[in-house]
Amino acid sequence: MSLDADAIVDRRRLRRKLTFWRVAAVVIVLVAVGFGVAMLTPGSGIKPGDEAIARIRIQGLIRGNQERVEALERLGRSNAKAVIVHLDSPGGTTAGSEQLYDALRNLQSKKPMVVVVDGLAASGAYIAALASDHIIAHDTSLVGSIGVLFQFPNFSEVLKTIGIKVEEIKSSPLKAAPNGFEPTSPEARAAIDAIVQDSYAWFKNLVKTRRKLDDTELAKVADGRVFTGRQGVPLRLVDELGNERTALAWLEKEKKIPASTRVRDYSLEPRFRELSFLHVAAWGFDAAGWSTLARRVDTWAGTEAVERLNLDGLLALWHPSASN
C-alpha cells in the first residue's frame, strides 16, 4: 500500500515536471518566433513613442529593393526626430539608385536628414546622397563619379576561333542588341549611346538642381572622376567635413534637435535575408560584440560577389571590380 502511494506521488511529480517543460517549450518557441519576425522585418529599430534620431546604413551595391522602400516609408511614419544616413557604396544600377533617391526624398520631406559618407558615395550612391538636406564626408572619403556606364562582353572573336556560329532570327536589326555573339553594329552602338547620354543628362541635372551649381561648376565635377571629401567641399559636392558627431551638431544648429538625442539603428534589410550559415554566424558574432570578426565572416559569405552577378542593365557604378 505504501509503495502504491509513493508511486502515485512520483507519477504526479513527474506529470508536474512534464507540464512545466511543455509550457516552457511553448514559451521558448513563441519568444523565438517573435524574435525571428522582428529580425526578418526591415525597419524594426524605432519603437512606437521612441523619439530618437534614426541611423540607417546604405552599403554595398545598390539595386532595386521594394523592402527597403517600404522600410523607409515606415520610418517616415515613425516618431523619429531626424535621420542620419551612413553611406558606403560604389553605386549600382541607375534604376535602383533612382528608386532609393525617390524613397529618401520622400523621407526627407517628413524628417530632417543628413548624410555621412563613411568611405565611398560614388555614382549611384551619390545620387542617394543628393536626397538629403546636408552632406558630410571624411577628409579621405570618395564622392562623385557622376556618370553612367553600359558594359557588355563580346565573344564574337572567340567563337570565330573555335568555329561556333550563333544564328538568330529577329524582328528588327536592333532587337536584343548588343548580344555579345557578333560584332556590335554602328546602329546598335548609337542606340546604346543614346540611352547612356539620356541617363547621364538626368544625373547631371539632378546634381545641378540639388547642389545648386551653375553650368561651369557642374562641368568641373561631371566628368566621371571621384573626389576626396576635402576636394568635394570647395566643389560643393560636400557641405562639410566630419562624422556623425558633426551631423548631430548640424541637426542641433539647423533643426533645433538637441545633439544629446539618442541615436538608434534602424535596419532597412531583414537581418537573415540570405539565411546562409555564414550570415547567421556573422549576426551572432555581431550580437556578441565582435563586429570585426562579423564583417570578415559576412565577407566570406560572398554577398557582394553574388550581388555583382545580379547587376543587370544601365549602371551608375564606380570601380565595379573593387571590394569595399
Side-chain angles (χ1 to χ4, degrees):
M1 194 70 181
S2 176
L3 288 175
D4 289 343
D6 289 342
I8 291 172
V9 171
D10 288 341
R11 192 176 296 115
R12 287 177 177 173
R13 186 181 297 116
L14 183 61
R15 187 179 296 121
R16 282 197 299 271
K17 287 183 178 179
L18 188 59
T19 301
F20 169 79
W21 285 113
R22 283 174 176 171
V23 172
V26 170
V27 170
I28 291 171
V29 169
L30 290 176
V31 170
V33 169
F35 179 76
V37 169
M39 295 304 292
L40 287 168
T41 302
S44 55
I46 302 293
K47 306 298 186 296
D50 194 345
E51 294 188 345
I53 295 171
R55 179 196 293 119
I56 63 178
R57 301 182 188 278
I58 298 170
Q59 300 171 313
L61 298 175
I62 297 172
R63 297 191 306 241
N65 187 330
Q66 188 58 34
E67 285 183 341
R68 181 174 56 205
V69 171
E70 293 169 0
L72 290 170
E73 289 174 349
R74 285 192 292 273
L75 179 55
R77 296 191 296 267
S78 75
N79 291 324
K81 289 189 171 184
V83 180
I84 297 176
V85 182
H86 283 265
L87 266 174
D88 191 5
S89 166
T93 64
T94 51
S97 302
E98 181 182 3
Q99 181 198 56
L100 177 57
Y101 168 82
D102 288 340
L104 289 173
R105 282 290 287 155
N106 181 55
L107 177 59
Q108 183 269 340
S109 69
K110 301 171 183 176
K111 311 282 183 185
M113 180 188 295
V114 56
V115 159
V116 177
V117 181
D118 289 330
L120 180 63
S123 221
Y126 189 70
I127 290 174
L130 293 172
S132 71
D133 298 311
H134 198 68
I135 300 176
I136 296 170
H138 298 288
D139 291 60
T140 55
S141 297
L142 295 178
V143 299
S145 187
I146 298 165
V148 178
L149 174 70
F150 190 105
Q151 286 183 325
F152 55 94
N154 191 292
F155 307 105
S156 57
E157 292 300 318
V158 174
L159 295 178
K160 187 186 300 182
T161 300
I162 60 179
I164 296 176
K165 181 179 180 182
V166 177
E167 300 201 4
E168 61 184 7
I169 299 173
K170 53 186 180 180
S171 58
S172 58
L174 294 180
K175 177 62 179 175
N179 63 20
F181 299 128
E182 61 185 14
T184 305
S185 69
E187 294 79 12
R189 189 171 295 276
I192 296 166
D193 183 66
I195 294 172
V196 170
Q197 295 304 320
D198 182 69
S199 297
Y200 180 42
W202 170 82
F203 192 170
K204 288 194 298 181
N205 185 64
L206 193 64
V207 175
K208 180 179 180 179
T209 302
R210 292 295 296 158
R211 301 305 298 171
K212 298 179 174 59
L213 305 179
D214 60 32
D215 289 338
T216 302
E217 291 170 325
L218 181 64
K220 292 178 181 178
V221 299
D223 60 359
R225 78 180 86 174
V226 291
F227 303 90
T228 66
R230 284 167 55 87
Q231 293 173 318
V233 171
L235 293 170
R236 296 169 62 186
L237 293 176
V238 173
D239 291 299
E240 64 176 315
L241 301 175
N243 49 33
E244 185 170 281
R245 288 192 297 274
T246 313
L248 291 170
W250 181 84
L251 286 170
E252 183 172 60
K253 178 182 177 181
E254 299 295 332
K255 304 298 180 179
K256 311 307 177 189
I257 299 172
S260 59
T261 304
R262 181 172 53 176
V263 180
R264 295 194 60 172
D265 286 318
Y266 182 88
S267 175
L268 298 181
E269 303 284 352
R271 295 299 300 271
F272 295 155
R273 180 180 56 181
E274 304 292 336
L275 289 179
S276 72
F277 166 76
L278 287 175
H279 286 296
V280 175
W283 174 83
F285 289 136
D286 189 48
W290 301 329
S291 55
T292 301
L293 181 58
R295 284 195 297 271
R296 290 181 179 176
V297 172
D298 201 43
T299 300
W300 293 337
T303 307
E304 291 196 7
V306 173
E307 286 181 337
R308 292 181 196 283
L309 293 177
N310 290 331
L311 277 177
D312 249 338
L314 210 58
L315 305 181
L317 180 66
W318 179 76
H319 215 312
S321 63
S323 59
N324 298 306

